Amino acid sequence: MDKARVTIVGGGIGGLTAAIALAQNGFSATVLEVAPAFGEVGAGLTLAPNAMKAYLALDMADAVAQAGVEPARQRIQHWEDGRVLRVLERGDMRQIYGAPYVYIHRADLHAILVTEARRRGVRLESDAGVVAVEGACAVLHDGRRIEGDILIGADGVKSVVRRAFDPAPPHFTGHVAWRAVVPVTGDLADLVSWPGMHIGPRRMVVRYPVRGGTMMNTVFFARQSGWTEDGWSIRADRSELDGVFTGWAPEVQAMIAAVPADGLYKWAINARQPLPGWILDDRVALLGDAAHGMTPFLGQGAACAVEDAIVLARALSASASVAEGLKRYEAARLERATFIQLESNANADRMQADETELFGLQALRNEDSLGLFHYDCRTVPV
Ligand SMILES: Cc1cc2nc3c(=O)[nH]c(=O)nc-3n(C[C@H](O)[C@H](O)[C@H](O)COP(=O)(O)OP(=O)(O)OC[C@H]3O[C@@H](n4cnc5c(N)ncnc54)[C@H](O)[C@@H]3O)c2cc1C
């Protein structure tokens, strides 16, 4: 196919990775981002080996790994007494899967992606909120129309592009998360050297290092009703955590005590039901959370988005027409993404069950044991 003009709605991790992959394959890519500037929220992100293979495909894996932290192991601990229920080895990921397991600050990854996209000639437009899609034409909030041959909706869980497929808004999953990135001082140094999580009935607390171990990403999950908004602007007070995590282990109390007074944000977890298809009019397709927004309980949402990105570029590149390329993309990705979406939900129940004691005795069913790390977006048939 002649190299087509691709408009990507959404300059998040999925959209930018897709733009870089498309540019690498000779396509002309434009990214439209609603925010006034390209940037990411102040939180951590796990890039499992299957995600890092996307950055190997783009010759960016070293840069991403160097900006992150590669853990040797993780531990899963009992909510109340801190007893170690399981240890997960992570130091051998490069040998087993051919790619590292990386913790990274989202803003650091995003900055690397923006620099690389610019270097490869991707057109990046901020303050470019898309309000409607007409064929492969994106209509912006100021009335401008951006014409292209292909339009990719990478605009997140609340995707405007997805409305053309499914008018339903995302659903609130019943899970909420409080998130903070805290400076590592005192006792936290020991805690962050052992990344992992405390699990308990209907709650879970995750910790891991970012920025060379100088900062610790913390996420406090609970099931709760009362707010359904996600967004980095919803401030929370530390006292909310005190109430929800009363009686949890001393390490969790130390994490709560370390949260800066003005640095805690709360986030309702919204997700999507799987769609039967991601293509419209042979010219429009969905990618990332817009296609398969999922709960974060396998740490695979962004991983799925960047896998989509590489497979999309490969499928288009290998095809004689746009319609064929999009079909091959969907055929290669739909089943895997849907499986991960459903398993992510199931993992919430496994990790936050009433009988925490039983967790260490049961067969492990997580992203690693499910075989998700083996997937290789560089070689999977398209
Ligand atoms: C608490 C939590 C922890 C998580 N941890 C992990 C993890 O460790 N590992 C992992 O792999 N995943 C994780 N995820 C999931 C991951 O964050 C998402 O799956 C990932 O960010 C999806 O990327 P995306 O590019 O598809 O969407 P987004 O990151 O949502 O990006 C969408 C972009 O589109 C823009 N946009 C929206 N609407 C418009 C519009 N109308 N016009 C133009 N632009 C628009 C937005 O501003 C944004 O920049 C986590 C999620 C949560 C909530």
Side-chain angles (χ1 to χ4, degrees):
M1 148 179 41
D2 287 340
K3 294 302 184 180
R5 294 166 303 156
V6 189
T7 305
I8 297 168
V9 183
I13 288 161
L16 286 173
T17 304
I20 295 166
L22 288 161
Q24 185 189 44
N25 282 274
F27 293 90
S28 123
T30 299
V31 179
L32 305 174
E33 167 57 44
V34 66
F38 278 79
E40 251 290 356
V41 298
L45 184 71
T46 301
L47 290 172
N50 54 309
M52 286 302 293
K53 287 176 204 172
Y55 294 116
L56 281 169
L58 301 175
D59 296 325
M60 295 173 64
D62 286 344
V64 172
Q66 277 159 22
V69 175
E70 289 180 51
R73 58 191 72 83
Q74 296 166 324
R75 61 186 180 195
I76 301 179
Q77 293 171 257
H78 190 278
W79 67 276
E80 194 174 26
D81 56 21
R83 160 168 41 116
V84 177
L85 300 169
R86 258 182 212 278
V87 173
L88 306 177
E89 292 299 329
R90 297 295 187 211
D92 48 5
M93 297 282 111
R94 286 177 183 264
Q95 291 77 14
I96 299 174
Y97 301 109
Y101 184 107
V102 175
Y103 294 134
I104 192 164
H105 195 292
R106 295 179 77 111
D108 297 345
L109 173 63
H110 200 268
I112 292 171
L113 294 174
V114 167
T115 302
E116 187 63 13
R118 290 212 168 101
R119 195 182 72 75
R120 299 209 196 198
V122 172
R123 212 171 119 211
L124 299 178
E125 283 206 38
S126 53
D127 199 10
V130 172
V131 291
V133 171
E134 294 172 8
C137 172
V139 183
L140 301 190
H141 64 100
D142 55 8
R144 276 189 300 146
R145 299 169 65 84
I146 310 293
E147 302 284 348
D149 304 306
I150 305 173
L151 185 139
I152 302 298
D155 46 344
V157 73
K158 292 183 175 164
S159 171
V160 167
V161 181
R162 184 177 165 126
R163 284 187 206 150
F165 294 69
D166 166 21
H171 62 272
F172 173 57
T173 60
H175 296 274
V176 298
W178 291 262
R179 304 165 88 177
V181 179
V182 308
V184 172
T185 52
D187 291 350
L188 293 186
D190 190 36
L191 192 57
V192 85
S193 69
W194 265 103
M197 60 195 77
H198 286 75
I199 63 171
R202 294 172 300 286
R203 291 164 177 66
M204 181 166 102
V205 179
V206 177
R207 64 177 186 280
Y208 56 80
V210 292
R211 296 203 166 145
T214 60
M215 308 288 286
M216 179 165 70
N217 182 60
T218 60
V219 193
F220 302 85
F221 290 102
R223 290 179 204 221
Q224 223 176 62
S225 53
W227 88 84
T228 58
E229 279 303 300
D230 55 6
W232 206 241
S233 54
I234 307 167
R235 286 274 174 96
D237 194 272
R238 203 164 58 193
S239 60
E240 294 178 36
L241 294 178
D242 289 334
V244 176
F245 292 93
T246 304
W248 280 55
E251 289 109 326
V252 173
Q253 304 309 329
M255 287 168 63
I256 293 173
V259 167
D262 59 351
L264 184 67
Y265 296 84
K266 56 186 179 184
W267 200 282
I269 308 292
N270 290 303
R272 291 290 194 174
Q273 297 300 338
L275 278 178
W278 300 346
I279 307 170
L280 204 65
D281 298 337
D282 290 339
R283 288 176 292 178
V284 179
L286 299 176
L287 179 149
D289 274 9
H292 42 65
M294 60 184 74
T295 62
F297 300 110
L298 281 181
Q300 283 283 320
C304 258
V306 302
E307 288 177 359
D308 288 347
I310 301 301
V311 172
L312 172 70
R314 287 183 53 221
L316 286 171
S317 213
S319 299
S321 68
V322 170
E324 180 193 336
L326 293 183
K327 220 169 243 127
R328 287 167 73 165
Y329 159 65
E330 181 193 79
R333 292 293 306 154
L334 190 67
E335 190 180 330
R336 174 171 167 89
T338 302
F339 174 75
I340 297 175
Q341 241 179 320
L342 299 175
E343 282 292 337
S344 291
N345 294 342
N347 213 35
D349 297 332
R350 292 192 281 268
M351 306 292 282
Q352 301 173 41
D354 285 337
E355 300 298 333
T356 310
E357 290 70 18
L358 298 181
F359 182 82
L361 305 173
Q362 291 161 346
L364 191 61
R365 191 170 166 87
N366 70 353
E367 61 276 29
D368 194 352
S369 72
L370 285 168
L372 301 184
F373 295 173
H374 284 290
Y375 183 88
D376 194 338
C377 55
R378 297 167 297 176
T379 55
V380 68
V382 289

